[in-house]
Amino acid sequence: MTGRNQSIISEFLLLGLPIQPEHQNLFYALFLSMYLITVLGNLIIIILIRLDSHLHTPMYLFLSNLSFSDLCFSSVTIPKLLQNMQSQVPSIPYAGCLTQMYFFLFFGDLESFLLVAMAYDSYVAICFPLHYTTIMSFKLCLSLVVLSWVLTMLHALLHTLLMARVSFCVENMIPHFFCDLSAVLKLACSESHVNELVIFIIGGPVVVFPFLLIIVSYARIVSSILKVPSSRGIHKAFSTCGSHISMVSLFFGTIIGLYLCPSANNSTVKETIMALMYTVVTPMLNPFIYSLRNRDMKGALRRVLCKKKSFCV
């Protein structure tokens, strides 16, 4: 009887951001600018690391993958958001919704795993500088990158396949600007306890464990730095670690607050703003925090530009 009352949903309606019509163009320009900065910043990093042999090190192997992940992560949601802001009917096909959900989970998880690898790399470089090249071998670094890609791919695929077996009835309005896993699951009119159980059992550790590993790594780094009586080294390391920790806290803090510790009075507006922080702001700021203000990256940019200039002459 339940099956007869169910209808096949061919598309979902994304309600988007709670923006007044008179402010629509302003926010469109803002998000477009942020997206272009994200794309440009991450592309510069990927190209520089590719072209400059001085940057073919473990740290920059992780950075190039992080930049690619940031570029794709923002591209999963922002172009569709911009399109819907200019559309009278902000819809997304059912298949498109599942596809967006898969890549959102994939690149979001990939970013957290790569941040763990980068934190470990920094830990080894500062705490065991004499053994750095031995510990962070090319084989280990490549294994960490491949493992990150494979685990996140499987995790995203699991959630997407479980979502594909859920039935949806008449209600198809998603109070979000993208096909968020929990928001879509609330529209289900069939049994979804398995999905919720998997989110609790697997989703939690996928977010919490990387965050704890990063915090432990930086705690060990800070502890190691304080043992060395060098004010210059302490200032440099703390400025680097401080900026890294702030970005990690912004990324993981909003995700944990939104998905793992939801409060009863969390409004849709509050949830949307928190989602914007890790889907739009973090991918835009990561290139500046991790790379573009780095001395090696500036040197690489100078060498590439000088090489190109001499080649043109």
Side-chain angles (χ1 to χ4, degrees):
M1 191 72 180
T2 308
R4 291 178 184 176
N5 292 333
Q6 292 176 356
S7 59
I8 298 173
I9 295 292
S10 60
E11 64 178 16
F12 291 99
L13 295 179
L14 294 170
L15 299 185
L17 304 173
I19 301 172
Q20 298 296 327
E22 59 268 24
H23 300 145
Q24 194 84 356
N25 290 334
L26 177 64
F27 277 94
Y28 181 87
L30 175 64
F31 291 131
L32 178 61
S33 301
M34 294 174 76
Y35 178 63
L36 291 176
I37 292 170
T38 302
V39 171
L40 182 62
N42 286 294
L43 274 179
I44 289 173
I45 292 168
I46 294 169
I47 292 169
L48 283 179
I49 294 174
R50 178 74 177 173
L51 293 179
D52 196 290
S53 58
H54 294 86
L55 300 180
H56 293 173
T57 62
M59 174 185 174
Y60 293 105
L61 171 65
F62 298 137
L63 271 176
S64 61
N65 277 270
L66 180 68
S67 293
F68 180 76
S69 176
D70 278 333
L71 179 62
C72 295
F73 187 49
S74 58
S75 297
V76 169
T77 56
I78 306 307
K80 185 61 181 173
L81 169 64
L82 293 171
Q83 180 191 345
N84 286 347
M85 288 178 76
Q86 297 295 308
S87 173
Q88 297 296 323
V89 184
S91 63
I92 184 171
Y94 173 78
C97 189
L98 288 183
T99 302
Q100 186 186 56
M101 188 184 299
Y102 170 79
F103 284 109
F104 178 82
L105 290 169
F106 175 38
F107 289 113
D109 291 343
L110 181 60
E111 177 155 347
S112 66
F113 277 59
L114 290 172
L115 288 173
V116 173
M118 291 170 63
Y120 178 70
D121 178 71
S122 299
Y123 163 69
V124 174
I126 293 175
C127 298
F128 305 99
L130 299 178
H131 303 283
Y132 177 78
T133 52
T134 306
I135 297 173
M136 297 304 293
S137 62
F138 176 76
K139 184 178 179 181
L140 175 64
C141 296
L142 191 62
S143 299
L144 288 174
V145 171
V146 172
L147 185 64
S148 298
W149 279 79
V150 172
L151 288 178
T152 53
M153 195 180 298
L154 293 174
H155 179 245
L157 185 61
L158 174 62
H159 284 295
T160 308
L161 290 176
L162 285 174
M163 185 62 74
R165 59 183 283 277
V166 173
S167 300
F168 298 93
C169 303
V170 181
E171 183 62 48
N172 70 334
M173 290 188 291
I174 302 173
H176 221 306
F177 63 92
F178 68 96
C179 287
D180 179 65
L181 179 64
S182 58
V184 175
L185 202 57
K186 288 176 184 176
L187 304 180
C189 59
S190 65
E191 185 275 324
S192 59
H193 295 304
V194 175
N195 299 65
E196 293 166 1
L197 190 64
V198 170
I199 291 172
F200 179 75
I201 295 175
I202 300 178
V206 163
V207 174
V208 175
F209 285 172
F211 179 64
L212 292 177
L213 287 172
I214 292 169
I215 295 301
V216 168
S217 296
Y218 282 118
R220 296 293 296 272
I221 289 171
V222 170
S223 175
S224 177
I225 291 168
L226 293 175
K227 294 176 183 177
V228 182
S230 168
S231 58
R232 185 183 173 187
I234 290 174
H235 174 74
K236 181 182 176 183
F238 267 107
S239 64
T240 304
C241 290
S243 58
H244 288 190
I245 290 172
S246 64
M247 289 309 300
V248 166
S249 301
L250 177 65
F251 179 74
F252 284 100
T254 50
I255 293 176
I256 291 172
L258 193 58
Y259 297 108
L260 301 184
C261 305
S263 59
N265 59 352
N266 261 12
S267 64
T268 304
V269 176
K270 184 180 176 182
E271 290 177 353
T272 304
I273 292 172
M274 290 175 71
L276 281 171
M277 293 303 292
Y278 71 87
T279 57
V280 181
V281 178
T282 305
M284 182 186 70
L285 293 181
N286 270 348
F288 300 98
I289 296 296
Y290 287 102
S291 305
L292 294 180
R293 69 185 191 127
N294 183 297
R295 187 185 302 172
D296 294 336
M297 293 298 295
K298 290 178 181 177
L301 181 61
R302 203 161 33 244
R303 284 189 294 272
V304 169
L305 292 176
C306 290
K307 192 184 295 183
K308 189 173 182 180
K309 194 178 292 183
S310 61
F311 176 76
C312 293
V313 172

